[in-house]
Amino acid sequence: CLLLSTFFTFLRAQELPPIRNFQAVDYGAENQNWGISQANNGWMYFANNAGLLEFNGSDWKRYYSPNGSVLRSVWAAGDRIYSGCHMEFGYWERNEYGNLVYSSLSNGISDQLLQDEQFWRILGVGDWVLFQSLQRIYAYKPSDGSFEIIASQAPRAQLFEQEEQIYFRRQDEGLLTMENGKAKPLLPASQVG
């Protein structure tokens, strides 16, 4: 009976992946990470106080924030790593030397950004990439470079993803969803708690 119990304990232990803890000194950046995303190749990306962190399972690499501010959000999609920070959002792509190079998306609409706006979350839905600040959602369509700016009209915008559908709330309108980069009412405020 003891042998059988030991055998099953051994089998169960084999199912769990190894866990490694990393200190800030290990990855050469600051100790606060705001976002995390995994690319298709398994590499991990972190939005860190010191910039974008890349981990390939063995080595860490740090890329400085495009404007020197704290990176708040990150989302890996295809060959691009999208990120957001204070008054800035865009994407990173590899150059011919294998290093990530940043391209700003917000520069083209900088006159429409709110004062001191920070981008806390990035999600993809259909053909759109959504950049969420506290007051707005910026819907970007990579295929043609177009933007739709959606005011949340709430003190803190919150995007929720469920089964590849995006939901958010407006204070007086209720629950909304996204359709073709635009807000679409789903439930009136009277039905939302």
Side-chain angles (χ1 to χ4, degrees):
C1 187
L2 180 61
L3 180 61
L4 190 57
S5 174
T6 304
F7 176 72
F8 283 116
T9 301
F10 174 75
L11 283 179
R12 181 177 161 92
Q14 296 301 311
E15 294 175 13
L16 300 175
I19 296 173
R20 284 181 62 191
N21 290 318
F22 294 98
Q23 302 295 320
V25 69
D26 297 326
Y27 51 79
E30 295 189 27
N31 64 354
Q32 192 161 18
N33 294 300
W34 295 95
I36 182 171
S37 186
Q38 185 173 21
N40 292 340
N41 64 1
W43 291 19
M44 302 298 297
Y45 294 90
F46 301 85
N48 181 275
N49 278 1
L52 178 68
L53 301 180
E54 176 183 70
F55 183 62
N56 66 9
S58 176
D59 299 311
W60 290 92
K61 192 164 195 173
R62 179 177 57 177
Y63 296 93
Y64 290 98
S65 166
N67 61 7
S69 66
V70 172
L71 216 62
R72 299 287 188 194
S73 56
V74 63
W75 182 62
D79 293 335
R80 289 184 174 178
I81 311 302
Y82 292 91
S83 67
C85 57
H86 178 259
M87 299 296 290
E88 177 66 44
F89 61 86
Y91 62 88
W92 306 77
E93 285 185 306
R94 295 215 180 278
N95 64 13
E96 63 273 15
Y97 304 108
N99 294 316
L100 291 175
V101 176
Y102 184 77
S103 296
S104 177
L105 292 171
S106 56
N107 273 353
I109 58 166
S110 60
D111 60 327
Q112 298 178 54
L113 298 180
L114 300 175
Q115 184 177 357
D116 290 328
E117 200 163 16
Q118 298 209 36
F119 296 91
W120 291 92
R121 190 160 186 211
I122 305 168
L123 289 172
V125 57
D127 297 334
W128 297 86
V129 178
L130 309 176
F131 296 88
Q132 174 202 321
S133 73
L134 293 180
Q135 298 86 9
R136 292 177 164 180
I137 300 163
Y138 293 77
Y140 166 68
K141 192 171 187 180
S143 62
D144 64 10
S146 63
F147 275 96
E148 293 288 335
I149 301 173
I150 302 163
S152 70
Q153 298 171 343
R156 292 191 178 263
Q158 290 290 324
L159 290 175
F160 301 96
E161 182 180 21
Q162 181 67 32
E163 297 180 8
E164 298 185 25
Q165 186 65 40
I166 299 295
Y167 302 95
F168 65 99
R169 182 178 174 197
R170 282 189 178 157
Q171 198 162 1
D172 295 328
E173 293 181 53
L175 186 66
L176 293 93
T177 187
M178 300 284 295
E179 192 171 284
N180 295 320
K182 297 191 185 303
K184 178 183 173 188
L186 194 63
L187 288 174
S190 62
Q191 292 181 14
V192 178

